[in-house]
Amino acid sequence: MNAPIAGSRRPAPEALASVLGELSSRFGERFVVNATIREQHGRGEGLADLAAPDAVVFPETSDEVATIVKACAAARVPVIPFGIGTSLEGHVAAIHGGVCVDLSRMAKVLEINADDLDCRVQAGVSREQLNAELKGTGLFFPIDPGANATIGGMAATRASGTNAVRYGTMRENVLGLTVVTADGRIITTGGRARKSAAGYDLTRLFVGSEGTLGVITEIRLKLYGVPEAISAAVAQFADLESAVRAVIVAMQMSIPVARIELLDALQMDACIRYSKLDGYEIKPTLFFEFHGTDAGVAEQAGLMQQIVADHGGGSFRWATATEERTRLWKARHNAYYAALALKPGCFGFSTDACVPISRLAQCVMETRADVESTGLTCPIVGHVGDGNFHLLVLFDPKDAAERARAEGLAERVSLRAIRLGGTCTGEHGVGVHKLGALVAEHGEAVDYLRAIKRAFDPLGIMNPGKTVPE
Amino acid sequence: MNAPIAGSRRPAPEALASVLGELSSRFGERFVVNATIREQHGRGEGLADLAAPDAVVFPETSDEVATIVKACAAARVPVIPFGIGTSLEGHVAAIHGGVCVDLSRMAKVLEINADDLDCRVQAGVSREQLNAELKGTGLFFPIDPGANATIGGMAATRASGTNAVRYGTMRENVLGLTVVTADGRIITTGGRARKSAAGYDLTRLFVGSEGTLGVITEIRLKLYGVPEAISAAVAQFADLESAVRAVIVAMQMSIPVARIELLDALQMDACIRYSKLDGYEIKPTLFFEFHGTDAGVAEQAGLMQQIVADHGGGSFRWATATEERTRLWKARHNAYYAALALKPGCFGFSTDACVPISRLAQCVMETRADVESTGLTCPIVGHVGDGNFHLLVLFDPKDAAERARAEGLAERVSLRAIRLGGTCTGEHGVGVHKLGALVAEHGEAVDYLRAIKRAFDPLGIMNPGKTVPE
């Protein structure tokens, strides 16, 4: 079923056969070549075309991962780490063939250190599983990219999501890693100290490396105390710029808002219809969430309400009851499906521009005009406290010209963000789609990305074709 | 005046002479070989022996830094970046000779973007200068390692200090860098977006690289709104463990304390005498600082007071008046001098262990017993919210055996921290003193530190002999 990939550098057939034979006898039923399983592993949730691996192996320990990598290294066969398949940028597509390392059987929470607000988990633990296992400890892990991704995948793509404005991204929340390197060694990076000045920051180098420098098998994470109080609020604005200006003021006042989400009028229209959000207008809208003590949350919300009023925002609606809050955030999480419902039969994918917040209104406005020139339907949601917004680009999958227009639009969004001092990807990663934009963003520094890749993976077997422009 | 350094690999004399001649004609009076100036640049504030560079050059632009590095690279002459000389780990000692690049003439604040809470500065800007230039903007830069270090030096050593518990370290607060690489190219890393998933994290790789991968010439930093209210408090405890337990509870409750500093009874004794802190007892003591709104600060302090009481802490003394607060923090900043005054004629240096907070009491207690076995006088201060503490090791510089005992003690502190799940350096860096401890801490991962060094500096000219064990 694999479409031929231009420039594919598949391994030599005899070498591949030899590795597959070796892994088959070593892993038995945990070595799979069934076409359906391989195809399930050959594409994430983004736009990337299907590129199934030659086999899928399900290791249960770091040692087993090391065994797989050593076998692949000896035969120059690509290794593609796989968490749960929610990647949006084609990270898991086996574009040069090879062996997929599915980490779903490494799903143990290994330590929870309540006194130190940290834990250690295997890479296949999902964020919802981790939070379920933290129930009763008074702690939680905040990073929430929407999808129920694995912690390993989130570390590998430097994921974040709606509450990064308060809690940071995986960059700030990974304390250390266990990694199987490209020659099959097992190393640990970082540690349990909250900070360290001991040498180059290997942890931060592997966070966001998308499986191209090694396979992350264990992750140490920061945890947080569950807030005493949580409340949500919604404010609607006459125009997008007023909404953004209100957020800038809140950031300058250091109001520790836990989430600030922007929905443009089109997305709000979609959400009102899809999630039955009665009583809201089709206007640019901010969703807020506040975490803290009872008094602290009331104060934050009060300050925010004043700021909203100062910017012409109306209808500051509170949602202190868990039920109402859940309804709001469910609507936000379902924004993608609400958007798809605007154009039944369409596919959708998400852009990921992130700009300095002062440029956000301009970036969104120019993008909106650009969208209109394409004739496509593209609502916008944004983690506006971070300057990160997603254009949900809808297109008819049967219309090749429309897909091309959609891809062209996405590329222009990346380049626009870079031109405005931002980045082509705030949280989805590079994968196969952003290699060109990365060169535009980093210029000559890309040579040093290549130098790192060569230093860590001299044979070029770790998730080849991703992350680093060749 | 240079003592011969064991294993020194000085550049070939003809090559060195040729580079010095080239730089002299290029930089004129900004090229200095005067012995006094060279010696001022050959040692920081730590224990490292003097190792003066062969020349000191004072560039004014990144291009000029590139010119220097290119000349040195062509002749295989070491390049040692220099900020203001407050390094504690021998980072600036020219142990293999070479050219010191003094960045003090690159001291411009280049941009302040109030809307985006960021700025861009040249490497030679000091943190006090930056905060002076931010006056009137409503913003400040919080990271405070005590010394008035340069931002370039702070980035290069991944510095932090008393308020890292609230605001993070340089790791979290650098958005991007301009770096002159080892072959004299000028690259930029990161950008103005608050987060990015665009490729390997070059910014975090250069932060903490101690001049061994390139010369940092410009830094983009996060800024913060000046809090509406600031207050301080002091609490004293019967024993160290109770003080530490109180801090753990505060961390678990996510009380956003801006500073929590521990002073042991000996350090408190020294501070009471040196800084005339009337009304305090000679007991383990916590200094707190709270930032926020008026109501928020009052709430934080109230919660903290309750926690202190729950842990048997007495005399929770408030200091809302700026004057009293300044007096307290001045006493904390002068802890080093207060300690020196305990043993007139002694030198002092600081260890830098950082452990998971649950291990802090054990680490401090074992260290205290170890100190007693040495007969040395060593008070303790700690950024206790981070698990980072400093033993101020006093010794008689005329007594070689005592110095050896002091150095042995320091090494054992590093190894103890590592054994307890921590790091040999929370914030001072590796330099020349922690190379052995780094191997104990990172194990096989050190090979990947070496791989990075080779990839970025194949000629080995960038601050050689530091940071990466050979």
Side-chain angles (χ1 to χ4, degrees):
Chain A
M1 288 287 287
N2 274 7
I5 306 275
S8 177
R9 300 185 307 267
R10 291 190 51 78
E14 316 74 43
L16 178 62
S18 155
V19 167
L20 298 190
E22 183 181 342
L23 294 176
S24 173
S25 54
R26 171 70 183 77
F27 288 90
E29 290 185 355
R30 293 188 284 124
F31 171 88
V32 177
V33 289
N34 168 293
T36 307
I37 301 292
R38 289 193 296 110
E39 286 166 17
Q40 283 168 358
H41 286 77
R43 180 167 57 200
E45 296 184 351
L47 200 58
D49 292 311
L50 175 65
D54 294 298
V56 183
V57 192
F58 296 82
E60 292 176 349
T61 64
S62 294
D63 282 331
E64 287 192 347
V65 174
T67 299
I68 299 165
V69 173
K70 277 180 189 160
C72 289
R76 312 288 195 269
V77 168
V79 175
I80 304 106
F82 186 97
I84 205 166
T86 55
S87 153
L88 296 174
E89 298 295 355
H91 293 105
V92 299
I95 55 178
H96 302 302
V99 173
C100 173
V101 180
D102 180 311
L103 294 148
S104 60
R105 295 205 186 199
M106 293 184 67
K108 287 193 197 71
V109 175
L110 300 167
E111 296 171 26
I112 296 172
N113 304 300
D115 277 357
D116 294 310
L117 302 172
D118 70 42
C119 68
R120 184 165 61 95
V121 305
Q122 289 184 314
V125 169
S126 75
R127 64 174 186 85
E128 289 180 4
Q129 178 195 344
L130 174 57
N131 278 314
E133 297 202 25
L134 288 169
K135 278 248 162 77
T137 64
L139 302 174
F140 80 118
F141 177 67
I143 312 301
D144 173 7
N148 185 26
T150 62
I151 302 296
M154 288 169 64
T157 53
R158 206 181 292 132
S160 48
T162 51
N163 52 26
V165 65
R166 166 77 173 259
Y167 296 99
T169 72
M170 291 301 279
R171 179 175 74 191
E172 287 79 24
N173 284 287
V174 174
L175 288 166
L177 296 168
T178 301
V179 177
V180 175
T181 60
D183 58 359
R185 286 196 280 176
I186 300 171
I187 63 169
T188 56
T189 74
R192 293 193 56 220
R194 302 300 273 192
K195 64 182 191 185
S196 172
Y200 307 146
D201 195 341
L202 283 178
T203 303
R204 248 48 57 185
L205 188 56
F206 282 108
V207 169
S209 66
E210 305 184 350
T212 64
L213 302 179
V215 183
I216 295 171
T217 57
E218 293 177 11
I219 305 98
R220 278 195 190 281
L221 294 170
K222 293 185 190 172
L223 300 173
Y224 296 80
V226 175
E228 175 188 319
I230 299 177
S231 76
V234 178
Q236 300 204 287
F237 294 83
D239 58 87
L240 203 66
E241 182 146 9
S242 300
V244 172
R245 299 298 312 175
V247 173
I248 291 173
V249 172
M251 295 289 100
Q252 287 187 324
M253 288 177 63
S254 306
I255 301 177
V257 189
R259 311 185 201 234
I260 314 183
E261 293 289 301
L262 173 73
L263 292 79
D264 77 347
L266 178 58
Q267 180 67 58
M268 202 57 200
D269 186 16
C271 286
I272 289 169
R273 290 197 232 172
Y274 184 86
S275 296
K276 318 265 181 301
L277 286 183
D278 304 330
Y280 293 97
E281 294 178 77
I282 300 172
K283 280 183 175 178
T285 302
L286 295 174
F287 282 21
F288 300 97
E289 190 166 277
F290 307 100
H291 293 182
T293 60
D294 284 321
V297 161
E299 185 185 42
Q300 289 174 45
L303 288 166
M304 200 66 235
Q305 183 164 17
Q306 185 57 54
I307 294 166
V308 165
D310 290 346
H311 290 79
S315 66
F316 192 83
R317 288 165 61 124
W318 280 88
T320 45
T322 306
E323 199 171 85
E324 172 67 4
R325 193 158 52 74
T326 305
R327 197 172 74 95
L328 275 175
W329 288 110
K330 195 168 169 200
R332 167 61 189 89
H333 271 127
N334 284 333
Y336 175 74
Y337 303 103
L340 284 182
L342 289 172
K343 300 272 285 183
C346 274
F347 276 12
F349 69 94
S350 173
T351 65
D352 189 30
C354 186
V355 295
I357 198 171
S358 66
R359 305 299 185 88
L360 184 62
Q362 180 187 353
C363 195
V364 170
M365 294 310 199
E366 287 183 21
T367 299
R368 173 62 53 227
D370 192 356
V371 168
E372 272 157 34
S373 78
T374 65
L376 297 164
T377 299
C378 306
I380 288 172
V381 294
H383 313 314
V384 70
D386 299 318
N388 188 198
F389 72 93
H390 304 302
L391 193 65
L392 299 174
V393 183
L394 303 176
F395 68 95
D396 179 350
K398 296 186 293 296
D399 183 340
E402 191 165 292
R403 174 169 170 163
R405 282 209 305 285
E407 293 189 18
L409 171 66
E411 190 182 345
R412 290 193 300 278
V413 171
S414 290
L415 298 178
R416 183 174 300 121
I418 294 165
R419 181 165 47 76
L420 293 172
T423 178
C424 63
T425 171
E427 56 186 14
H428 296 169
V430 177
V432 297
H433 293 127
K434 298 271 171 71
L435 291 166
L438 202 72
V439 175
E441 183 167 334
H442 291 305
E444 203 161 359
V446 169
D447 283 351
Y448 293 88
L449 306 181
R450 292 191 188 104
I452 292 169
K453 172 70 176 174
R454 280 195 304 269
F456 280 69
D457 178 26
L459 303 177
I461 61 164
M462 299 307 305
N463 208 5
K466 325 285 169 65
T467 318
V468 188
E470 288 177 0
Chain B
M1 288 288 287
N2 274 8
I5 307 275
S8 177
R9 300 185 307 265
R10 291 190 51 78
E14 318 74 45
L16 178 63
S18 154
V19 168
L20 298 189
E22 183 181 343
L23 295 175
S24 172
S25 54
R26 172 71 183 74
F27 287 91
E29 291 185 355
R30 293 189 284 124
F31 170 88
V32 177
V33 290
N34 168 294
T36 308
I37 302 291
R38 287 193 296 111
E39 286 166 18
Q40 284 168 357
H41 286 75
R43 181 166 57 201
E45 295 183 352
L47 199 57
D49 293 311
L50 175 66
D54 295 298
V56 183
V57 192
F58 295 83
E60 293 177 347
T61 64
S62 294
D63 281 332
E64 287 192 348
V65 174
T67 298
I68 299 166
V69 173
K70 277 181 190 160
C72 288
R76 312 287 195 268
V77 168
V79 175
I80 304 108
F82 186 97
I84 206 167
T86 55
S87 154
L88 296 174
E89 299 295 355
H91 294 105
V92 301
I95 54 178
H96 301 302
V99 173
C100 173
V101 179
D102 181 313
L103 295 149
S104 60
R105 294 204 186 198
M106 293 184 66
K108 286 194 198 72
V109 175
L110 300 167
E111 298 171 25
I112 297 173
N113 304 301
D115 276 356
D116 294 309
L117 303 171
D118 70 42
C119 68
R120 185 164 61 94
V121 304
Q122 289 184 315
V125 169
S126 76
R127 65 175 183 85
E128 290 180 3
Q129 178 196 343
L130 174 56
N131 278 314
E133 297 203 26
L134 288 169
K135 278 249 161 75
T137 63
L139 302 175
F140 80 118
F141 177 67
I143 312 301
D144 173 6
N148 186 26
T150 61
I151 302 297
M154 289 169 64
T157 54
R158 206 180 293 131
S160 48
T162 51
N163 53 26
V165 64
R166 167 76 173 260
Y167 296 99
T169 73
M170 291 301 278
R171 179 175 74 191
E172 286 79 25
N173 285 286
V174 174
L175 288 167
L177 297 168
T178 301
V179 177
V180 175
T181 60
D183 58 358
R185 286 197 280 176
I186 301 170
I187 63 169
T188 56
T189 74
R192 295 192 56 222
R194 302 300 272 192
K195 65 181 190 183
S196 172
Y200 307 146
D201 194 342
L202 283 178
T203 303
R204 248 48 57 186
L205 187 57
F206 282 108
V207 169
S209 66
E210 304 184 352
T212 64
L213 302 179
V215 184
I216 295 171
T217 57
E218 293 178 9
I219 305 99
R220 278 195 189 281
L221 294 170
K222 293 184 190 173
L223 300 173
Y224 296 81
V226 175
E228 176 188 317
I230 300 177
S231 76
V234 177
Q236 299 204 289
F237 294 82
D239 58 86
L240 203 67
E241 182 146 10
S242 300
V244 172
R245 299 297 314 176
V247 174
I248 291 174
V249 172
M251 295 288 100
Q252 286 188 322
M253 288 177 63
S254 306
I255 302 177
V257 190
R259 310 186 202 233
I260 314 183
E261 292 289 301
L262 173 74
L263 292 78
D264 76 349
L266 178 59
Q267 181 67 59
M268 201 58 198
D269 186 16
C271 287
I272 289 168
R273 292 196 231 172
Y274 185 87
S275 296
K276 317 264 181 300
L277 286 183
D278 304 331
Y280 293 97
E281 295 179 76
I282 299 172
K283 280 184 174 176
T285 303
L286 295 174
F287 283 21
F288 300 97
E289 189 166 279
F290 306 100
H291 292 182
T293 59
D294 285 320
V297 161
E299 185 184 44
Q300 290 174 46
L303 289 167
M304 200 65 235
Q305 183 165 15
Q306 185 57 54
I307 294 167
V308 165
D310 290 346
H311 290 79
S315 67
F316 193 83
R317 289 165 59 124
W318 280 89
T320 46
T322 306
E323 201 170 84
E324 173 66 3
R325 194 157 52 74
T326 305
R327 197 172 74 95
L328 275 176
W329 288 109
K330 196 170 169 198
R332 167 62 190 88
H333 271 127
N334 284 334
Y336 175 72
Y337 303 103
L340 284 181
L342 289 171
K343 301 272 284 182
C346 275
F347 276 11
F349 69 93
S350 173
T351 66
D352 188 29
C354 187
V355 294
I357 198 170
S358 67
R359 305 298 186 90
L360 184 62
Q362 179 185 354
C363 195
V364 170
M365 294 312 200
E366 287 184 22
T367 299
R368 172 61 55 227
D370 192 358
V371 167
E372 272 157 34
S373 77
T374 65
L376 297 164
T377 300
C378 307
I380 288 173
V381 294
H383 312 314
V384 72
D386 300 319
N388 186 199
F389 73 93
H390 305 302
L391 194 65
L392 299 174
V393 182
L394 303 177
F395 69 96
D396 178 351
K398 295 187 293 295
D399 183 339
E402 191 165 295
R403 174 169 170 163
R405 282 209 305 286
E407 293 188 17
L409 172 65
E411 191 182 343
R412 290 193 299 279
V413 171
S414 290
L415 297 179
R416 183 174 300 122
I418 294 165
R419 181 166 46 77
L420 293 172
T423 177
C424 64
T425 172
E427 56 187 13
H428 295 170
V430 177
V432 297
H433 293 127
K434 298 271 171 70
L435 291 166
L438 202 72
V439 176
E441 183 167 334
H442 291 305
E444 202 161 1
V446 169
D447 283 351
Y448 293 88
L449 307 181
R450 293 190 186 105
I452 292 169
K453 172 72 175 174
R454 281 195 303 271
F456 280 70
D457 179 25
L459 304 176
I461 61 164
M462 299 309 303
N463 208 5
K466 324 288 169 65
T467 317
V468 188
E470 287 177 358

